Amino acid sequence: MRTGTTPGEIDGVVQRAKSLGLGVQLNLGTNKQVVAILGSNTGQLPTDIFAVLPGVERVTRIMRPYKLASREFKTENSLVSIGGVEVGGKRVVVMAGPCAIENEKQLMEAARVVKKSGACVLRGGAFKPRTSPFSFHGLEESGLELLARAREQFGLPVVTEVVDSHDVGLVAKYADILQVGSRNMQNFALLTTVGKSKRPVVLKRGFSCTVTEWLTAADYLLAEGNNQVILCERGIRTFEDSARFSLDICSIPVIKRFSHLPVIVDPSHAAGHYSLVPAIARAAVAAGADGLLIEVHPNPKEALMDGLQSLTPSDFARLMEELRLIAESVNRYI
Ligand code: PEP
Ligand code: MN
């Protein structure tokens, strides 16, 4: 809309869109007011039917399948605020902790060491999506209770995965951030329910999904009015099998170009091996990631899962020191 447009003019555009059976979302920013017109057949409508309306400055076709996650819809970077921690600003937000919550001692010790080294969000899985039905699937609600206790004791917001729409209410009772895992990136029913919860979300990239599919999945969350979306690159499957996955470092600047959403990187699942994690983490910060999600276990040798890719407390402490230097050199801080 033109600068200085009136609410009546905006409403005129909204009503015209609705009369054509189209969906609408408003982005009423301080400088720019944007009306996104949504529908599967917008490609067949001439843009002039909106361009002629009073107050309209310009009609831009967004031919990409995602709309709400796009930079055309919102030009300024989005910030996601979690208990006083902002993701998408100058600070590189480090989220760390074990793959799975195993018991009270393990989680509290993990929380203590990651906090001491400067992490500002604690991670830990209570519901684990496993490739095999016979593997450990997490402590479920008793794990969430431990997580809530760790948050209280250490003053760290917590991120944990939700794998099923039916558990969204339960997980949201305990978690500051809901994580949608790689295997669920295109579980559209789950995305819609998580969107309705209005809780901040970490949306991991499906390991066989393109950036376009990933941003289109983010639209499911945004379409429910949940704009607290953080994307997480965690590696994709390619022909290369020397690491667990191939970290797509390109996706960071690509996301920055095409989307307003913050993007963090999980070097642990990409690496699959603790020795590879620090280099990938450093590269991510250098490439402009807004944060990291790192697996740290007080004693990786005893971990029930993902021990091989988990950092020890001392490895994590060293990595955080290195990351501080890199962050500074790209005009950020940790
Ligand atoms: C996790 O973060 O523990 C996890 C299962 O990650 P992903 O969904 O990326 O495999
Ligand atoms: Mn894991």
Side-chain angles (χ1 to χ4, degrees), residues 34 54 57 105-106 114 132 146 162 177 218-219 224 229 239 244 248 252 254 257-258 274 276 300-301 313 321 329:
V34 181
E57 180 181 279
K105 186 163 170 280
Q106 170 244 18
V114 302
S132 162
L146 293 176
V162 56
I177 312 172
D219 262 6
E224 296 304 323
V229 179
F239 54 83
R244 190 172 175 190
D248 179 10
I252 304 163
V254 167
R257 180 168 171 208
F258 293 114
Y274 65 92
L276 306 174
K301 289 200 272 304
E321 286 313 311
S329 71

Side-chain angles (χ1 to χ4, degrees), residues 39-330:
S40 53
N41 68 340
T42 49
Q44 284 134 41
L45 292 170
T47 52
D48 284 0
I49 58 174
F50 295 104
V52 296
L53 297 176
V56 174
E57 180 181 279
R58 182 162 35 98
V59 183
T60 309
R61 246 184 225 292
I62 301 172
M63 294 310 280
R64 286 182 278 272
Y66 56 89
K67 293 181 171 62
L68 305 178
S70 74
R71 277 260 182 227
E72 282 91 345
F73 177 57
K74 185 167 181 280
T75 43
E76 325 87 67
N77 289 336
S78 284
L79 295 175
V80 178
S81 181
I82 302 131
V85 179
E86 244 174 19
V87 186
K90 255 192 120 167
R91 182 175 192 169
V92 176
V93 174
V94 178
M95 310 182 185
C99 179
I101 300 158
E102 297 169 7
N103 54 61
E104 179 161 11
K105 186 163 170 280
Q106 170 244 18
L107 186 66
M108 298 303 156
E109 183 55 11
R112 190 183 71 77
V113 298
V114 302
K115 178 164 184 166
K116 189 165 135 239
S117 295
C120 45
V121 176
L122 174 66
R123 68 149 283 154
F127 290 91
K128 298 304 302 179
R130 302 304 302 275
T131 301
S132 162
F134 309 116
S135 309
F136 173 59
H137 281 77
L139 297 181
E140 305 188 346
E141 189 164 8
S142 56
L144 296 173
E145 283 163 2
L146 293 176
L147 201 55
R149 222 172 297 159
R151 170 181 47 205
E152 220 163 278
Q153 194 168 330
F154 296 95
L156 287 172
V158 295
V159 56
T160 195
E161 181 163 355
V162 56
V163 295
D164 190 302
S165 314
H166 298 110
D167 298 326
V168 171
L170 174 71
V171 179
K173 221 168 84 188
Y174 295 92
D176 300 282
I177 312 172
L178 301 176
Q179 178 174 319
V180 175
S182 188
R183 289 155 191 83
N184 271 316
M185 190 204 86
Q186 290 187 311
N187 180 339
F188 303 119
L190 177 64
L191 294 176
T192 299
T193 317
V194 168
K196 285 192 204 312
S197 79
K198 305 279 162 72
R199 197 49 62 87
V201 190
V202 164
L203 177 62
K204 290 193 134 192
R205 178 180 184 175
F207 52 70
S208 25
C209 291
T210 63
V211 169
T212 298
E213 287 162 338
W214 188 15
L215 290 172
T216 311
D219 262 6
Y220 271 88
L221 298 164
L222 298 163
E224 296 304 323
N226 187 346
N227 43 28
Q228 312 248 85
V229 179
I230 303 162
L231 301 167
C232 179
E233 168 63 55
R234 45 81 73 212
I236 54 176
R237 220 165 240 168
T238 67
F239 54 83
E240 181 53 64
D241 61 1
S242 54
R244 190 172 175 190
F245 292 91
S246 298
L247 188 91
D248 179 10
I249 202 91
C250 296
S251 76
I252 304 163
V254 167
I255 292 286
K256 291 286 167 201
R257 180 168 171 208
F258 293 114
S259 178
H260 53 88
L261 296 173
V263 59
I264 65 170
V265 167
D266 171 351
S268 308
H269 289 86
H273 195 279
Y274 65 92
S275 66
L276 306 174
V277 170
I280 301 173
R282 293 193 302 260
V285 173
D290 295 302
L292 294 165
L293 182 67
I294 304 177
E295 286 187 342
V296 178
H297 194 286
N299 184 4
K301 289 200 272 304
E302 300 291 324
L304 290 183
M305 54 188 296
D306 284 352
L308 188 59
Q309 69 195 31
S310 297
L311 297 185
T312 61
S314 60
D315 283 347
F316 180 65
R318 189 172 323 116
L319 172 60
M320 288 294 277
E321 286 313 311
E322 296 168 355
L323 293 176
R324 281 196 180 91
L325 295 176
I326 303 208
E328 243 171 70
S329 71
V330 292

